[in-house]
């Protein structure tokens, strides 16, 4: 039988009682029904809830075939997108690939590089220099089709790829993933004849990792997307069985963080002990930050990589202001065993670790840190997965998505919109002189003292 992620909340019990947890069952019942029956806030964006069980075989085949086609002609695939349009694929690719940052010519799978997630000319220029040297293709992703960061990156890269391969061949190296009918990217795809995949209307960016948005780049990296979907589907079916807080891991996680939040723990630190999960934490930060941070409410999600960050933020965690709780993702088994060698001179005084597997050392660091932080007033939720592979990552992704929906409903916000993201865009457009923004431009320029 397949294993599921497990949750250990014993280290929040000094801060939250079992009764407080159980008392939230009626609220969870309601929010759970709202998610499943699509009757809650933002219910037009609940397509992700049934996504794993409803994704069609023909779509999966199309994604895999397209990925194979791109792989056959590319050493590099550039994924252009920002926010939910790139964080999910980056999270999965990094979690499941070798650590080596070096580009190896002999790689069978192309290297996936990301663009359109910043506006830095140095970043973009370095990327173009790499693209000068290697064969590449592009996956451009934007649900709205109008987001400025990916749109500018795409304009620059389109110019490059067209010069490199010629207009007709370049078009065959571009795949667009966007809305079925709206937005400039859709319009351009029709005009230029790019192959496209559709982001369903009812799935928002940060919940779109199990659509072509996440799956095509991941498949292009040589990762088995069927197993990811299988894991997510098994988790979906398990969470659909019951909303009993004791049996539904997403409900228990949502309830615990809500109770901690109500006790003044306004910051959740997601910690892991494997650097390959760095981008998974970035994905999680967007999921929770953009879903909950509304109406001056919500837990502020941050992430740390231990043991690295124990030597930077660890001090604050242990001793700083007490408004933090931690959630740790523990991976029970690593891909490789690496034993600390014996050394009879023992000048480094490490013989007490000799013969121990590094994963065991890492685990003791984790368990010791959890207790130290709990003793220092930082409650801890521990989520364990057996192994870092496609299947368990699929489970974890769906679990966090479902818990995020419940969490948003618990604090009574719409977890599926992001009105706050618009404000910076309006100001930027005004400052750049976008047509229609001239009044705002004058006001902002006066405020910034630039004429
Ligand atoms: O979760 C979201 O909806 C956002 O983070 C978007 O993914 C992000 O802003 C990118 O938008 P788009 O895909 O429309 O370019």
């Amino acid at each position: 039988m397949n294993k599921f992620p497990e949750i250990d909340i014993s280290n929040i019990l000094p801060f939250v009682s079992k009764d407080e947890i159980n008392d939230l069952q009626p609220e969870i019942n309601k929010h759970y029904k709202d998610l499943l029956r699509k009757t809650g806030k933002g219910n037009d964006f609940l397509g992700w809830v049934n996504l794993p069980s409803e994704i069609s075989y023909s779509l999966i085949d199309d994604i895999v075939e397209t990925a194979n086609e791109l792989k056959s002609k590319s050493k590099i695939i550039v994924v252009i997108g920002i926010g939910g349009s790139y964080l999910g694929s980056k999270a999965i690719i990094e979690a499941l690939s070798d650590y080596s940052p070096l580009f190896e010519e002999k790689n069978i799978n192309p290297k996936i590089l990301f663009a359109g997630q910043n506006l830095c000319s140095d970043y973009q220029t370095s990327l173009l220099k790499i693209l000068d040297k290697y064969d590449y293709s592009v996956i451009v992703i934007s649900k709205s089709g109008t987001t400025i960061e990916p749109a500018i990156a795409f304009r620059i890269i389109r110019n490059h790829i067209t010069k490199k391969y010629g207009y007709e061949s370049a078009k065959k190296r571009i795949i667009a993933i966007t809305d079925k009918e709206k937005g400039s990217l859709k319009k351009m795809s029709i005009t230029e004849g790019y192959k496209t995949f559709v982001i369903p209307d009812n799935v928002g960016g940060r919940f779109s990792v199990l659509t072509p948005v996440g799956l095509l780049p991941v498949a292009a990296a040589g990762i088995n997307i069927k197993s990811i979907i299988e894991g997510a589907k098994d988790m979906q079916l398990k969470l659909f069985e019951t909303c009993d807080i004791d049996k539904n891991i997403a409900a228990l996680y949502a309830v615990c963080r809500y109770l901690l939040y109500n006790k003044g723990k306004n910051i959740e630190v997601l910690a892991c002990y494997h650097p390959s999960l760095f981008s998974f934490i970035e994905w999680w930060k967007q999921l929770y930050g953009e879903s909950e941070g509304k109406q001056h409410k919500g837990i502020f999600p941050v992430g740390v990589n231990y043991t690295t960050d124990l030597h930077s933020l660890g001090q604050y965690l242990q001793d700083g202001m007490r408004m933090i709780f931690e959630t740790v993702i523990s991976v029970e088994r690593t891909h490789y065993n690496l034993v600390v060698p014996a050394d009879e001179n023992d000048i480094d005084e490490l013989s007490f670790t000799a013969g121990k597997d590094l994963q065991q050392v890492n685990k003791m660091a984790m368990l010791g840190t959890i207790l130290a932080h709990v003793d220092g007033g930082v409650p801890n939720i521990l989520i364990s997965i057996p192994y870092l592979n496609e299947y368990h990552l699929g489970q974890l992704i769906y679990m966090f998505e479902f818990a995020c929906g419940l969490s948003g409903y618990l604090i009574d916000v719409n977890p599926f919109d992001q009105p706050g993201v618009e404000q910076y865009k309006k100001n930027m457009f005004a400052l750049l002189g976008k047509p229609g923004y001239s009044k705002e431009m004058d006001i902002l320029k006066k405020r910034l003292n630039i004429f």
Side-chain angles (χ1 to χ4, degrees):
M1 218 181 72
N2 286 323
K3 285 191 167 176
F4 284 92
E6 288 177 4
I7 187 166
D8 176 354
I9 58 152
S10 55
N11 283 312
I12 71 158
L13 295 179
F15 308 88
V16 164
S17 73
K18 219 33 199 127
D19 284 347
E20 285 175 300
I21 295 173
N22 293 336
D23 287 349
L24 279 167
Q25 187 65 59
E27 274 214 56
I28 281 294
N29 295 350
K30 178 183 175 325
H31 302 317
Y32 181 84
K33 272 190 205 138
D34 280 341
L35 280 183
L36 265 53
R37 294 183 187 166
K38 303 191 178 14
T39 43
K41 286 184 177 165
N43 57 357
D44 42 350
F45 280 98
L46 285 171
W48 59 270
V49 174
N50 293 303
L51 208 52
S53 61
E54 286 179 359
I55 188 164
S56 70
Y57 290 116
S58 61
L59 177 59
I60 296 173
D61 289 346
D62 193 5
I63 291 172
V64 172
E65 263 170 46
T66 308
N68 287 340
E69 161 78 17
L70 294 180
K71 279 162 72 174
S72 70
K73 56 186 176 196
S74 322
K75 280 268 169 215
I76 291 176
I77 292 175
V78 185
V79 174
I80 303 177
I82 195 165
S85 289
Y86 93 107
L87 283 163
S89 63
K90 192 162 191 283
I92 297 175
I93 292 166
E94 275 183 29
L96 300 178
S97 305
D98 266 358
Y99 282 110
S100 170
L102 300 176
F103 181 74
E104 290 178 36
E105 291 269 0
K106 61 177 176 9
N107 279 354
I108 12 168
N109 291 313
K111 187 102 189 142
I112 310 296
L113 299 179
F114 293 88
Q117 80 284 32
N118 62 56
L119 290 167
C120 172
S121 48
D122 290 344
Y123 181 95
Q124 190 71 33
T125 307
S126 305
L127 179 63
L128 292 179
K129 281 187 194 162
I130 299 173
L131 301 182
D132 281 341
K133 289 196 218 147
Y134 298 101
D135 277 321
Y136 77 99
S137 302
V138 174
I139 301 173
V140 53
I141 308 171
S142 177
K143 180 160 201 250
S144 63
T146 54
T147 308
I148 191 159
E149 292 91 341
I152 287 183
F154 186 41
R155 186 182 270 221
I156 293 168
I157 290 172
R158 205 165 60 240
N159 185 44
H160 185 274
I161 202 168
T162 306
K163 280 191 188 137
K164 182 162 173 148
Y165 295 103
Y167 180 66
E168 287 304 324
S169 301
K171 287 198 301 190
K172 298 196 182 100
R173 289 177 175 268
I174 297 172
I175 310 291
I177 306 180
T178 190
D179 187 85
K180 68 176 185 315
E181 52 195 16
K182 304 187 297 287
S184 323
L185 183 56
K186 178 66 191 173
K187 209 160 139 196
M188 193 185 297
S189 304
I190 295 171
T191 315
E192 300 294 327
Y194 302 146
K195 171 157 177 78
T196 56
F197 285 93
V198 170
I199 309 175
D201 284 345
N202 58 0
V203 180
R206 60 191 171 278
F207 288 85
S208 68
V209 56
L210 299 172
T211 72
V213 170
L215 298 175
L216 181 62
V218 167
I223 292 167
N224 181 348
I225 60 168
K226 289 181 187 159
S227 298
I228 297 175
I229 296 163
E230 199 55 37
K233 183 176 156 194
D234 284 356
M235 180 52 85
Q236 178 199 327
L237 298 180
K238 186 156 177 68
L239 297 180
F240 277 24
E241 279 169 14
T242 172
C243 62
D244 187 333
I245 295 174
D246 281 334
K247 299 196 182 100
N248 183 309
I249 184 171
L252 183 55
Y253 174 56
V255 161
C256 291
R257 55 198 302 287
Y258 174 67
L259 287 169
L260 292 166
Y261 171 63
N262 283 340
K263 289 177 192 272
K265 304 292 183 192
N266 299 323
I267 297 176
E268 178 175 13
V269 174
L270 186 69
C272 67
Y273 285 74
H274 301 275
S276 61
L277 285 173
F278 179 85
S279 289
F280 187 84
I281 291 179
E282 295 300 300
W283 170 81
W284 172 91
K285 270 161 58 179
Q286 187 213 6
L287 183 64
Y288 280 79
E290 218 167 56
S291 299
E292 288 190 306
K294 284 157 204 176
Q295 301 158 25
H296 300 179
K297 295 193 266 194
I299 296 167
F300 188 68
V302 294
V304 289
N305 273 280
Y306 290 156
T307 62
T308 313
D309 290 332
L310 287 174
H311 299 263
S312 62
L313 294 173
Q315 171 61 36
Y316 195 104
L317 264 294
Q318 188 67 49
D319 250 356
M321 274 183 70
R322 304 294 73 189
M323 73 284 198
I324 297 171
F325 70 97
E326 250 177 337
T327 298
V328 172
I329 300 178
S330 166
V331 180
E332 292 303 303
R333 190 161 52 85
T334 48
H335 301 292
Y336 301 105
N337 293 327
L338 184 62
V339 171
V340 181
D343 179 346
E344 58 187 32
N345 293 325
D346 197 27
I347 298 174
D348 53 9
E349 297 173 21
L350 278 179
S351 285
F352 68 98
T353 63
K356 292 194 167 70
D357 194 279
L358 206 50
Q359 166 70 354
Q360 198 192 344
V361 179
N362 206 15
K363 182 139 191 199
M364 292 310 121
M366 182 187 86
L367 295 175
T369 304
I370 289 174
L371 291 185
H373 288 180
V374 171
D375 292 345
V378 178
N380 186 283
I381 300 170
L382 180 63
I383 294 173
S384 310
I385 60 167
Y387 190 62
L388 210 45
N389 63 8
E390 284 88 341
Y391 180 80
H392 293 302
L393 214 52
Q395 290 180 327
L396 202 59
I397 285 169
Y398 190 82
M399 190 283 279
F400 275 126
E401 287 183 345
F402 201 89
C404 184
L406 292 175
S407 289
Y409 284 163
L410 279 167
I411 60 166
D412 197 23
V413 298
N414 174 358
F416 309 113
D417 64 2
Q418 54 284 326
V421 180
E422 295 311 309
Q423 194 55 42
Y424 100 92
K425 289 188 194 167
K426 274 192 212 142
N427 288 354
M428 177 172 68
F429 290 153
L431 289 169
L432 287 168
K434 187 172 176 173
Y437 287 81
S438 56
K439 220 161 125 199
E440 288 88 343
M441 176 160 84
D442 292 340
I443 297 169
L444 292 178
K445 283 195 166 173
K446 262 190 209 130
R447 281 179 66 191
L448 291 166
N449 215 8
I450 45 174
F451 294 97

